[in-house]
Amino acid sequence: MELWNSTLGSGFILVGILKDSGFPELLCTTMIFLYTLSLTSNGLLLLLITMDVKLHVPMYLLLRQLSLLDLLLTSVIAPKAIMDFLRGDNTITFGGCALQMLLELIMGGAEDILVAFMAYDRYVAICHPLNYTTIMSPKVLWFMMMTTWIVASLSAIVYTSYTMHYPFCKSRLVKHLFCEIPPLLKLACADTSRFELAVYLMGVMFLIPPLAAILVSYALILCTVLRMPSKEGRKKALLTCSSHLTVVGMYYGPASFIYVLPISFHSPKQDNVLSFFCTIVTPALNPLIYSLRNKEVMGAFRRVLGKYILPSHSSN
């Protein structure tokens, strides 16, 4: 099979969900709406948590990190996919493809780890409330945040570098919404079986231990909640945890199929749908799930609105 020099050639052509859809205009409109919703909701949540001192506690500072990751993750994927569809040009350079893959892996890996830390935070808050401020000290919080970014970044650099070092076949069509490891490995003109095993192990390492930690945390939380004498306390604890578990299911479900399922079992259509859900739908819904039923977030919204926005209007 003839090879083309991927480092000097014109790059790849992304043939993703917008091209394969029976209603591409409708899907593009949906993507624009979800991306706008993601920018607005995550941006507002970041602003509220930063500006309202009452939200400067570990739970909301971790939530701020999640909003930042969601904002960055969807911004790596959605704008290019939308502009490519509107311009009718789906090409991406070799360097652009590598950068997109690197950033997507950093944000995705960081979110895997961060969600597990958020579950641990809820476990400490509900099961050990008297020791909460001691256990979840500022140093521990900074350790969690730094671990999230450093581990995800190192892993992403290694896997992106190794994926892009392969020679790629003359077919430049990447049947995916964006540059990701599984669809690119299908274009490689070399034996990728060992690296596919490494990708599988990476998926297992980033998904299974955090998911196990989350399940254990919530099992212990459930036992504690059921023993609470206060009905109002039980309701508040379950409400907070249900929001978090919804986010866990929305992210870990599709991500497990993409990275834990062996590449030979992948189909372009399935991968496109799951990736669309992970990178476009979930970042738009996460802040709504966490904030709409959260009295503290809504209270912060009213305080910030009253302090910074309403006074300026009344003075006019």
Side-chain angles (χ1 to χ4, degrees):
M1 184 180 291
E2 186 183 353
L3 303 183
W4 60 286
N5 191 332
S6 53
T7 57
L8 300 176
S10 55
F12 302 97
I13 300 172
L14 298 172
V15 186
I17 194 169
L18 290 176
K19 279 282 185 181
D20 291 341
S21 168
F23 305 96
E25 292 83 6
L26 178 61
L27 192 57
C28 184
T29 304
T30 304
M31 186 181 288
I32 292 171
F33 170 75
L34 288 172
Y35 181 57
T36 305
L37 178 63
S38 182
L39 285 179
T40 307
S41 55
N42 283 297
L44 185 59
L45 199 54
L46 278 167
L47 190 66
L48 285 178
I49 296 172
T50 302
M51 295 178 72
D52 194 282
V53 182
K54 290 186 178 180
L55 297 184
H56 290 184
V57 294
M59 173 184 172
Y60 292 108
L61 294 176
L62 290 172
L63 180 57
R64 183 174 64 178
Q65 282 291 302
L66 182 66
S67 287
L68 177 62
L69 287 171
D70 280 336
L71 196 60
L72 294 174
L73 176 62
T74 194
S75 295
V76 168
I77 311 300
K80 175 162 178 55
I82 292 166
M83 291 305 298
D84 284 356
F85 178 77
L86 295 176
R87 289 185 295 126
D89 179 12
N90 289 10
T91 58
I92 185 170
T93 64
F94 182 86
C97 185
L99 180 62
Q100 190 181 54
M101 183 190 297
L102 175 69
L103 294 175
E104 187 272 331
L105 287 175
I106 290 174
M107 305 311 157
E111 193 156 327
D112 288 338
I113 301 169
L114 183 65
V115 171
F117 283 144
M118 291 174 75
Y120 176 74
D121 170 72
R122 290 300 81 208
Y123 159 72
V124 176
I126 294 171
C127 299
H128 303 282
L130 298 178
N131 299 321
Y132 180 69
T133 53
T134 305
I135 297 173
M136 292 298 296
S137 64
K139 285 185 179 180
V140 171
L141 194 62
W142 273 108
F143 172 77
M144 287 178 171
M145 292 180 183
M146 294 303 294
T147 300
T148 295
W149 284 99
I150 291 171
V151 173
S153 298
L154 290 176
S155 174
I157 290 169
V158 170
Y159 280 92
T160 300
S161 302
Y162 208 86
T163 300
M164 303 308 286
H165 98 285
Y166 282 110
F168 294 100
C169 299
K170 192 129 189 178
S171 173
R172 297 160 51 215
L173 297 178
V174 179
K175 295 182 178 180
H176 205 60
L177 180 65
F178 56 93
C179 287
E180 198 169 21
I181 295 175
L184 275 175
L185 288 183
K186 291 182 178 180
L187 302 182
C189 295
D191 180 16
T192 62
S193 56
R194 288 187 178 181
F195 185 58
E196 286 180 25
L197 178 61
V199 172
Y200 171 79
L201 292 175
M202 177 193 71
V204 169
M205 180 184 72
F206 269 92
L207 292 168
I208 304 305
L211 186 57
I214 290 167
L215 294 176
V216 169
S217 295
Y218 280 102
L220 294 172
I221 287 170
L222 184 62
C223 292
T224 303
V225 167
L226 293 176
R227 291 198 300 267
M228 283 182 176
S230 167
K231 186 178 179 181
E232 187 62 30
R234 286 200 302 270
K235 183 181 177 182
K236 184 179 178 181
L238 289 173
L239 196 63
T240 304
C241 295
S242 65
S243 299
H244 190 221
L245 285 173
T246 302
V247 171
V248 169
M250 286 170 59
Y251 187 79
Y252 275 84
S256 297
F257 276 102
I258 294 169
Y259 285 103
V260 176
L261 193 70
I263 291 173
S264 56
F265 290 95
H266 286 229
S267 71
K269 187 174 182 180
Q270 170 192 286
D271 283 358
N272 265 305
V273 171
L274 294 174
S275 294
F276 181 85
F277 195 84
C278 269
T279 59
I280 308 296
V281 178
T282 302
L285 297 182
N286 275 354
L288 301 180
I289 292 168
Y290 274 111
S291 61
L292 285 181
R293 295 186 300 171
N294 190 309
K295 291 180 181 178
E296 291 175 333
V297 172
M298 297 308 293
F301 178 72
R302 285 190 289 271
R303 284 192 298 273
V304 170
L305 195 68
K307 186 176 181 180
Y308 295 99
I309 300 185
L310 293 182
S312 62
H313 279 285
S314 59
S315 63
N316 293 333

